[in-house]
């Protein structure tokens, strides 16, 4: 572990970082994830503590916020209730497929001793797929006025939280255990690791990826035209191949 300039740390140079102080400021799991995600563990790496909140703290905060959202709006739903007779939506099917894709990627990476790729896959799923897309697009199903949350949405989000906590456990043992205990009542370190090879819908994943790219393009066009996101548009024209 080198300093931010790529120099070997030493007390004589005055560039040594005291691990206890860094952990006290950022948290053990954040430091661990930062080190694992920043590069292969056998390679020298520059250590810049001020980057930790963005690189590792942001995904962990996103996961905490997703659980807080679940806890606030799940209502009387319990894991044994399952779907409660509700029918999963296309969005539910998509996030479950993406969840399985992440499990496949993590298992393959870690069986090949590629911890970095595995950790990056988990963090990307938490931020991009679960927090920024699934939860945002599902808010109306949790906030329905004078109604309980859609059981299919609640069950799907619970499944994602439990699986992600188990994927995270080797790399972020404290946060992983906290989420798992809160969601299931049991320790993640006594639970089975998710298995690769489950069913996926590649066509649905590809279609949703196209929609997300269109949304990103539309947002960029709004910014270029100076039109705020909350202002409705009368028409949007999209040119596609």
């Amino acid at each position: 572990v080198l300093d931010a300039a790529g120099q070997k740390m030493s007390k004589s140079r005055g560039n040594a970082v005291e691990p206890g102080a860094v952990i006290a400021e950022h948290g053990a799991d954040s430091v661990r994830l930062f080190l694992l995600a920043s590069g292969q563990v056998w390679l020298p790496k520059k250590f810049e503590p001020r980057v930790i909140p963005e690189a590792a703290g942001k995904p962990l905060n996103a996961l905490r916020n997703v659980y807080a959202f679940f806890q606030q709006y799940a209502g009387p739903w319990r894991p044994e209730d399952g779907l409660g007779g509700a029918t999963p939506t296309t969005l539910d099917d998509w996030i479950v497929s993406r969840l399985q894709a992440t499990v496949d990627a993590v298992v393959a990476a870690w069986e090949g001793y590629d911890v970095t790729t595995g950790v990056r896959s988990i963090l990307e799923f938490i931020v991009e797929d679960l927090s920024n897309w699934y939860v945002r697009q599902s808010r109306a199903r949790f906030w329905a006025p004078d109604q309980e949350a859609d059981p299919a949405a609640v069950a799907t989000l619970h499944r994602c939280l439990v699986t992600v906590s188990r994927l995270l456990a080797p790399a972020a043992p404290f946060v992983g255990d906290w989420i798992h205990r809160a969601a299931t009542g049991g320790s993640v370190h006594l639970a089975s690791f998710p298995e690769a090879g489950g069913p996926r819908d590649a066509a649905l994943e590809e279609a949703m990826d196209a929609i997300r790219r269109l949304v990103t393009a539309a947002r960029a066009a709004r910014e270029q035209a100076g039109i705020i996101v909350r202002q409705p548009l009368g028409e949007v024209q999209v040119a596609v191949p």
Side-chain angles (χ1 to χ4, degrees):
V1 179
L2 310 175
D3 68 8
Q7 300 296 317
K8 182 179 178 180
M9 291 186 186
S10 67
K11 291 184 179 180
S12 60
R13 289 178 175 172
N15 63 349
V17 175
E18 203 284 303
V22 177
I23 292 173
E25 180 178 358
H26 299 287
D29 279 349
S30 291
V31 175
R32 185 192 298 259
L33 287 176
F34 170 74
L35 289 171
L36 293 175
S38 61
Q40 297 293 358
V41 295
W42 55 81
L43 297 176
K45 59 188 64 182
K46 298 178 181 179
F47 187 71
E48 179 57 82
R50 65 182 179 85
V51 181
I52 295 176
E54 179 67 21
K58 181 179 178 180
L60 290 183
N61 285 333
L63 181 60
R64 294 186 186 99
N65 290 336
V66 169
Y67 176 73
F69 178 85
F70 169 83
Q71 184 183 41
Q72 183 173 0
Y73 296 107
W77 181 89
R78 300 169 301 175
E80 55 266 30
D81 295 336
L83 296 176
T87 302
T89 65
T90 301
L91 192 63
D92 295 332
D93 293 338
W94 168 79
I95 194 65
V96 169
S97 185
R98 284 295 306 135
L99 181 65
Q100 185 59 53
T102 303
V103 170
D104 293 348
V106 173
V107 171
W110 286 2
E111 284 184 349
Y113 297 97
D114 185 357
V115 182
T116 298
T117 297
V119 168
R120 288 177 178 176
S121 297
I122 301 171
L123 299 186
E124 181 180 0
F125 174 81
I126 291 172
V127 175
E128 300 300 333
D129 294 336
L130 187 60
S131 178
N132 287 353
W133 192 251
Y134 180 76
V135 170
R136 287 188 179 185
Q137 300 301 323
S138 301
R139 284 175 177 171
R141 301 167 66 199
F142 287 88
W143 291 349
D146 302 321
Q147 296 181 20
E148 293 181 355
D150 182 350
V154 177
T156 300
L157 186 54
H158 181 267
R159 176 178 178 177
C160 290
L161 286 167
V162 172
T163 303
V164 166
S165 68
R166 294 181 182 184
L167 290 175
L168 264 181
F174 302 110
V175 172
D177 197 49
W178 172 71
I179 293 289
H180 197 271
R181 286 179 183 273
T184 70
S187 173
V188 73
H189 304 299
L190 299 177
S192 300
F193 199 77
E195 295 184 3
R200 289 179 55 189
D201 189 335
L204 177 57
E205 291 184 40
E206 184 178 357
M208 190 68 77
D209 181 62
I211 291 174
R212 295 172 74 180
R213 282 186 280 127
L214 288 174
V215 170
T216 300
R219 184 178 300 168
R222 276 180 174 272
E223 293 179 357
Q224 186 176 4
I227 302 175
I228 61 175
V229 174
R230 293 186 179 182
Q231 180 178 339
L233 299 178
E235 181 182 43
V236 174
Q237 294 184 353
V238 180
V240 297

PDB file of all heavy atoms in Angstrom, residues 195-208:
ATOM      1  N   GLU A 195     -26.070 -19.209  -5.086  1.00  0.00           N
ATOM      2  CA  GLU A 195     -25.570 -20.146  -6.085  1.00  0.00           C
ATOM      3  C   GLU A 195     -25.712 -19.585  -7.493  1.00  0.00           C
ATOM      4  O   GLU A 195     -26.715 -18.948  -7.824  1.00  0.00           O
ATOM      5  CB  GLU A 195     -26.331 -21.474  -5.998  1.00  0.00           C
ATOM      6  CG  GLU A 195     -26.096 -22.218  -4.697  1.00  0.00           C
ATOM      7  CD  GLU A 195     -26.780 -23.573  -4.687  1.00  0.00           C
ATOM      8  OE1 GLU A 195     -27.374 -23.941  -5.718  1.00  0.00           O
ATOM      9  OE2 GLU A 195     -26.710 -24.254  -3.649  1.00  0.00           O
ATOM     10  N   ALA A 196     -24.705 -19.818  -8.301  1.00  0.00           N
ATOM     11  CA  ALA A 196     -24.745 -19.395  -9.701  1.00  0.00           C
ATOM     12  C   ALA A 196     -25.598 -20.345 -10.513  1.00  0.00           C
ATOM     13  O   ALA A 196     -25.922 -21.448 -10.084  1.00  0.00           O
ATOM     14  CB  ALA A 196     -23.326 -19.336 -10.264  1.00  0.00           C
ATOM     15  N   GLY A 197     -25.960 -19.879 -11.708  1.00  0.00           N
ATOM     16  CA  GLY A 197     -26.665 -20.754 -12.639  1.00  0.00           C
ATOM     17  C   GLY A 197     -28.169 -20.702 -12.561  1.00  0.00           C
ATOM     18  O   GLY A 197     -28.848 -21.509 -13.206  1.00  0.00           O
ATOM     19  N   GLY A 198     -28.729 -19.761 -11.796  1.00  0.00           N
ATOM     20  CA  GLY A 198     -30.178 -19.630 -11.716  1.00  0.00           C
ATOM     21  C   GLY A 198     -30.747 -19.045 -12.996  1.00  0.00           C
ATOM     22  O   GLY A 198     -30.013 -18.564 -13.868  1.00  0.00           O
ATOM     23  N   PRO A 199     -32.076 -19.052 -13.138  1.00  0.00           N
ATOM     24  CA  PRO A 199     -32.707 -18.557 -14.374  1.00  0.00           C
ATOM     25  C   PRO A 199     -32.506 -17.059 -14.564  1.00  0.00           C
ATOM     26  O   PRO A 199     -32.534 -16.287 -13.598  1.00  0.00           O
ATOM     27  CB  PRO A 199     -34.190 -18.901 -14.178  1.00  0.00           C
ATOM     28  CG  PRO A 199     -34.361 -19.037 -12.699  1.00  0.00           C
ATOM     29  CD  PRO A 199     -33.071 -19.562 -12.178  1.00  0.00           C
ATOM     30  N   ARG A 200     -32.317 -16.672 -15.814  1.00  0.00           N
ATOM     31  CA  ARG A 200     -32.177 -15.260 -16.192  1.00  0.00           C
ATOM     32  C   ARG A 200     -32.987 -14.995 -17.451  1.00  0.00           C
ATOM     33  O   ARG A 200     -33.320 -15.923 -18.194  1.00  0.00           O
ATOM     34  CB  ARG A 200     -30.709 -14.907 -16.462  1.00  0.00           C
ATOM     35  CG  ARG A 200     -29.818 -14.860 -15.249  1.00  0.00           C
ATOM     36  CD  ARG A 200     -28.387 -14.524 -15.671  1.00  0.00           C
ATOM     37  NE  ARG A 200     -28.306 -13.298 -16.441  1.00  0.00           N
ATOM     38  CZ  ARG A 200     -27.202 -12.874 -17.067  1.00  0.00           C
ATOM     39  NH1 ARG A 200     -26.115 -13.608 -17.014  1.00  0.00           N
ATOM     40  NH2 ARG A 200     -27.199 -11.746 -17.741  1.00  0.00           N
ATOM     41  N   ASP A 201     -33.290 -13.731 -17.683  1.00  0.00           N
ATOM     42  CA  ASP A 201     -33.992 -13.321 -18.898  1.00  0.00           C
ATOM     43  C   ASP A 201     -33.092 -12.318 -19.619  1.00  0.00           C
ATOM     44  O   ASP A 201     -33.183 -11.109 -19.396  1.00  0.00           O
ATOM     45  CB  ASP A 201     -35.344 -12.701 -18.552  1.00  0.00           C
ATOM     46  CG  ASP A 201     -36.212 -12.458 -19.781  1.00  0.00           C
ATOM     47  OD1 ASP A 201     -35.652 -12.306 -20.877  1.00  0.00           O
ATOM     48  OD2 ASP A 201     -37.450 -12.407 -19.629  1.00  0.00           O
ATOM     49  N   ALA A 202     -32.222 -12.827 -20.466  1.00  0.00           N
ATOM     50  CA  ALA A 202     -31.246 -11.976 -21.148  1.00  0.00           C
ATOM     51  C   ALA A 202     -31.923 -10.957 -22.049  1.00  0.00           C
ATOM     52  O   ALA A 202     -31.468  -9.802 -22.151  1.00  0.00           O
ATOM     53  CB  ALA A 202     -30.278 -12.836 -21.960  1.00  0.00           C
ATOM     54  N   ALA A 203     -33.024 -11.343 -22.697  1.00  0.00           N
ATOM     55  CA  ALA A 203     -33.730 -10.421 -23.590  1.00  0.00           C
ATOM     56  C   ALA A 203     -34.314  -9.257 -22.806  1.00  0.00           C
ATOM     57  O   ALA A 203     -34.267  -8.096 -23.245  1.00  0.00           O
ATOM     58  CB  ALA A 203     -34.832 -11.162 -24.344  1.00  0.00           C
ATOM     59  N   LEU A 204     -34.858  -9.545 -21.627  1.00  0.00           N
ATOM     60  CA  LEU A 204     -35.417  -8.486 -20.783  1.00  0.00           C
ATOM     61  C   LEU A 204     -34.312  -7.558 -20.288  1.00  0.00           C
ATOM     62  O   LEU A 204     -34.484  -6.333 -20.257  1.00  0.00           O
ATOM     63  CB  LEU A 204     -36.164  -9.099 -19.607  1.00  0.00           C
ATOM     64  CG  LEU A 204     -36.752  -8.119 -18.584  1.00  0.00           C
ATOM     65  CD1 LEU A 204     -37.705  -7.141 -19.251  1.00  0.00           C
ATOM     66  CD2 LEU A 204     -37.465  -8.885 -17.461  1.00  0.00           C
ATOM     67  N   GLU A 205     -33.180  -8.105 -19.897  1.00  0.00           N
ATOM     68  CA  GLU A 205     -32.059  -7.284 -19.444  1.00  0.00           C
ATOM     69  C   GLU A 205     -31.599  -6.351 -20.561  1.00  0.00           C
ATOM     70  O   GLU A 205     -31.305  -5.176 -20.329  1.00  0.00           O
ATOM     71  CB  GLU A 205     -30.906  -8.170 -18.983  1.00  0.00           C
ATOM     72  CG  GLU A 205     -31.172  -8.934 -17.700  1.00  0.00           C
ATOM     73  CD  GLU A 205     -29.965  -9.714 -17.241  1.00  0.00           C
ATOM     74  OE1 GLU A 205     -28.836  -9.198 -17.344  1.00  0.00           O
ATOM     75  OE2 GLU A 205     -30.137 -10.864 -16.783  1.00  0.00           O
ATOM     76  N   GLU A 206     -31.524  -6.883 -21.780  1.00  0.00           N
ATOM     77  CA  GLU A 206     -31.090  -6.074 -22.923  1.00  0.00           C
ATOM     78  C   GLU A 206     -32.097  -4.968 -23.225  1.00  0.00           C
ATOM     79  O   GLU A 206     -31.722  -3.825 -23.508  1.00  0.00           O
ATOM     80  CB  GLU A 206     -30.906  -6.975 -24.143  1.00  0.00           C
ATOM     81  CG  GLU A 206     -30.358  -6.244 -25.361  1.00  0.00           C
ATOM     82  CD  GLU A 206     -30.136  -7.165 -26.543  1.00  0.00           C
ATOM     83  OE1 GLU A 206     -30.348  -8.384 -26.394  1.00  0.00           O
ATOM     84  OE2 GLU A 206     -29.750  -6.661 -27.620  1.00  0.00           O
ATOM     85  N   ALA A 207     -33.390  -5.299 -23.148  1.00  0.00           N
ATOM     86  CA  ALA A 207     -34.427  -4.301 -23.421  1.00  0.00           C
ATOM     87  C   ALA A 207     -34.402  -3.186 -22.383  1.00  0.00           C
ATOM     88  O   ALA A 207     -34.515  -1.997 -22.716  1.00  0.00           O
ATOM     89  CB  ALA A 207     -35.797  -4.973 -23.443  1.00  0.00           C
ATOM     90  N   MET A 208     -34.245  -3.561 -21.104  1.00  0.00           N
ATOM     91  CA  MET A 208     -34.214  -2.545 -20.049  1.00  0.00           C
ATOM     92  C   MET A 208     -32.964  -1.687 -20.173  1.00  0.00           C
ATOM     93  O   MET A 208     -32.994  -0.481 -19.897  1.00  0.00           O
ATOM     94  CB  MET A 208     -34.264  -3.208 -18.680  1.00  0.00           C
ATOM     95  CG  MET A 208     -34.467  -2.228 -17.531  1.00  0.00           C
ATOM     96  SD  MET A 208     -36.102  -1.451 -17.540  1.00  0.00           S
ATOM     97  CE  MET A 208     -37.099  -2.806 -16.893  1.00  0.00           C
TER      98      MET A 208
END
